Amino acid sequence: MADEIRKALVLQGGGALGAFALGAIRELYGARGWRPDLISGVSIGAITAVLLARPRDREPLEALEAFWAAVTVAAPWLPQPLRRYASAYGNPAFFIPRTDLWAAPGWTSLYDTAPLRRTLEGLVDVAALADPTRLPRLVVTATDIAAGQIISFDSADPGGLSLDHILASGSLPPSFPMTRIGTRDYWDGGLFDNTPLGDVLSRLSRGGDPSEREVIVVNLFPNAGPAPTSLGDVSQRVLNLTFANKTESDLKLLARFNAVSVLLDKIRGEPEWAALAASEAFKQADRDYVAVPRVLAITRASEAGNGAWTDFSPGGIEALALEGAAAARAEIDEPWMEAGVRRDAPH
């Protein structure tokens, strides 16, 4: 079936660190020719996701390359060591400092993201984004500020999605303004969960050969890191732990789901269990568990330093992209266990 979801891509948030995902996607889409049926992202991951899922008049990877070319800040007037900090003064294709200084006492953000909307309008097929029948399926997350809950926006929902949903997913306070959709205000989805893997697992198709299902997760923040020895180190470690991937805990839960899925399939498919399969107790337990034998995490090895996610310099972006491509090659070529989970993944 054309609308079956067998392969999925999950993309973390992290500002300029999203260039790591650019490199990984160069490897996946370019060198490997891999394509997902569903793409889920948060913050810069949501931006990456919409460019891959709904590019305007170009191929997905071309749209993503065009975005990163647009948001690169060269700043040749600055000394080389300072160029990584140039976007603190604004990124013309992404965000610019607010100029309404007279209203500063009532500010809830420091930058204006109108440039990002204009950049996306030139790269995203907005009409296709609003079409709930278009594939691949796209899911982005944002935080409902008043409710204090993470919300998933699904392109398959009636009315599809808009650029507002993408901007809402990346509305990281206090830098960026909250985004209003309808009567609700939203901040960055990464405040709750920077790795929206659960949204993907719940949407995978049932039936067929379980070995055909695979999920690739691109993580911009590693879990492991050294203990801090200064207040600066403390700030850096807290940043990484706050936005680090939860893939390991998700994989532990996934292993349990897989076991339940196998058991339910056995009861559902074998005649001697027909009475149990027809029981109300079984119907209550049968919650569409889907066995997912392959979850591959492409994770950045080094911690993100303070200011790393605002480094839009050409050298910074290309270094991250090269790192992402190398990490993708290493993980893709790693042999799978018989059960489908990588050797170093918890199971």
Side-chain angles (χ1 to χ4, degrees):
M1 294 176 59
D3 59 349
E4 283 193 339
I5 299 174
R6 300 285 176 186
K7 297 180 180 181
L9 178 63
V10 181
L11 300 161
Q12 271 197 343
L17 295 175
F20 177 88
L22 167 64
I25 291 162
R26 283 174 178 169
E27 184 66 24
L28 292 170
Y29 276 60
R32 310 278 172 157
W34 185 85
R35 294 292 186 277
D37 306 307
L38 182 150
I39 309 174
S40 178
V42 59
S43 198
I44 193 68
I47 293 171
T48 301
V50 74
L51 292 166
L52 295 176
R54 302 292 184 271
R56 179 180 176 181
D57 300 328
R58 64 188 80 199
E59 291 299 310
L61 182 55
E62 291 176 353
L64 187 60
E65 296 279 9
F67 171 80
W68 283 101
V71 300
T72 298
V73 179
W77 60 88
L78 286 175
Q80 185 67 39
L82 298 179
R83 291 177 186 175
R84 65 192 308 268
Y85 303 108
S87 63
Y89 300 99
N91 185 320
F94 203 143
F95 53 87
I96 55 176
R98 294 182 60 168
T99 57
D100 54 337
L101 298 178
W102 57 269
W107 283 5
T108 58
S109 63
L110 300 175
Y111 294 94
D112 179 0
T113 53
L116 173 59
R117 181 183 291 274
R118 290 193 294 270
T119 298
L120 292 179
E121 285 173 345
L123 295 172
V124 173
D125 187 335
V126 177
L129 183 59
D131 182 352
T133 68
R134 294 293 291 265
L135 298 174
R137 193 163 166 181
L138 176 64
V139 178
V140 300
T141 59
T143 299
D144 184 318
I145 300 171
Q149 295 179 348
I150 192 166
I151 305 296
S152 296
F153 298 114
D154 192 329
S155 67
D157 290 340
L161 300 178
S162 70
L163 289 182
D164 284 338
H165 296 98
I166 309 304
L167 292 172
S169 183
S171 296
L172 183 66
S175 294
F176 299 155
M178 65 189 83
T179 299
R180 171 156 288 201
I181 300 176
T183 61
R184 313 296 295 181
D185 293 310
Y186 296 93
W187 272 337
D188 195 300
L191 296 174
F192 259 77
D193 185 357
N194 202 37
T195 317
L197 177 59
D199 277 334
V200 168
L201 298 180
S202 66
R203 288 169 169 82
L204 291 175
S205 299
R206 295 184 59 177
D209 184 353
S211 67
E212 295 178 354
R213 302 188 193 107
E214 66 179 6
V215 179
I216 295 179
V217 184
V218 181
N219 296 308
L220 309 182
F221 296 89
N223 291 76
T229 59
S230 68
L231 287 177
D233 290 346
V234 169
S235 176
Q236 177 173 313
R237 191 73 187 110
V238 168
L239 169 70
N240 281 268
L241 290 175
T242 300
F243 293 101
N245 72 83
K246 307 300 188 294
T247 303
E248 289 191 3
S249 59
D250 284 333
L251 286 176
K252 290 178 182 178
L253 183 60
L254 177 62
R256 297 178 183 178
F257 284 173
N258 283 350
V260 173
S261 176
V262 170
L263 177 61
L264 293 177
D265 285 344
K266 182 178 180 66
I267 293 172
R268 196 183 299 110
E270 297 186 5
E272 63 264 36
W273 300 108
L276 177 58
S279 70
E280 190 61 32
F282 181 82
K283 293 176 182 177
Q284 288 295 319
D286 189 3
R287 298 294 185 185
D288 290 338
Y289 291 100
V290 177
V292 184
R294 300 201 293 181
V295 176
L296 175 64
I298 301 171
T299 304
R300 230 182 133 234
S302 55
E303 277 198 321
N306 291 315
W309 55 2
T310 61
D311 179 7
F312 287 91
S313 67
I317 288 174
E318 190 55 30
L320 282 164
L322 291 172
E323 185 182 359
R329 284 192 295 272
E331 295 297 328
I332 292 169
D333 294 337
E334 176 77 15
W336 297 98
M337 291 180 61
E338 184 178 349
V341 179
R342 280 190 11 84
R343 287 191 177 91
D344 56 353
H347 55 279

